[in-house]
Amino acid sequence: DPMHARVPPRDLLVAFYHLSPAEAELTRCLAQGLSLQDAADALHISVNTARTQLRSIFRKVGVSSQVGLIQQISQNLNVNHL
């Protein structure tokens, strides 16, 4: 799956952005194109928990939107070459 190939490994997200493992997993789901609700379902967390994690992710990565998050990860981690 070419989309999945562009998703950075959890450990890289944790190391580069200082995300928690849970935040990194949410980021990976969003990078795969899942909606926040679908990501929450996939991770077996409530959408409210996902929103809380997403706010923390935005703060740590320095962005204010999901689109910005994916763009930042793509640029910084060069995920097209992973």
Side-chain angles (χ1 to χ4, degrees), residues 7-80:
V7 178
R10 182 181 72 177
D11 292 347
L12 185 59
L13 290 167
V14 168
F16 194 84
Y17 291 110
H18 308 290
L19 301 182
S20 71
E23 291 167 348
E25 285 301 326
L26 178 58
T27 301
R28 294 183 84 243
C29 287
L30 297 174
Q32 291 174 43
L34 294 180
S35 68
L36 191 61
Q37 180 66 61
D38 289 342
D41 292 345
L43 297 171
H44 308 290
I45 60 175
S46 74
V47 72
N48 287 330
T49 297
R51 281 191 193 107
T52 298
Q53 289 177 347
L54 189 59
R55 281 193 296 273
S56 178
I57 293 164
F58 285 174
R59 181 178 48 78
K60 290 177 181 181
V61 176
V63 297
S64 58
S65 70
Q66 290 182 39
V67 170
L69 174 65
I70 303 311
Q71 289 173 339
Q72 185 78 348
I73 288 169
S74 296
Q75 290 169 359
N76 285 341
L77 300 182
N78 201 14
V79 292
N80 290 325

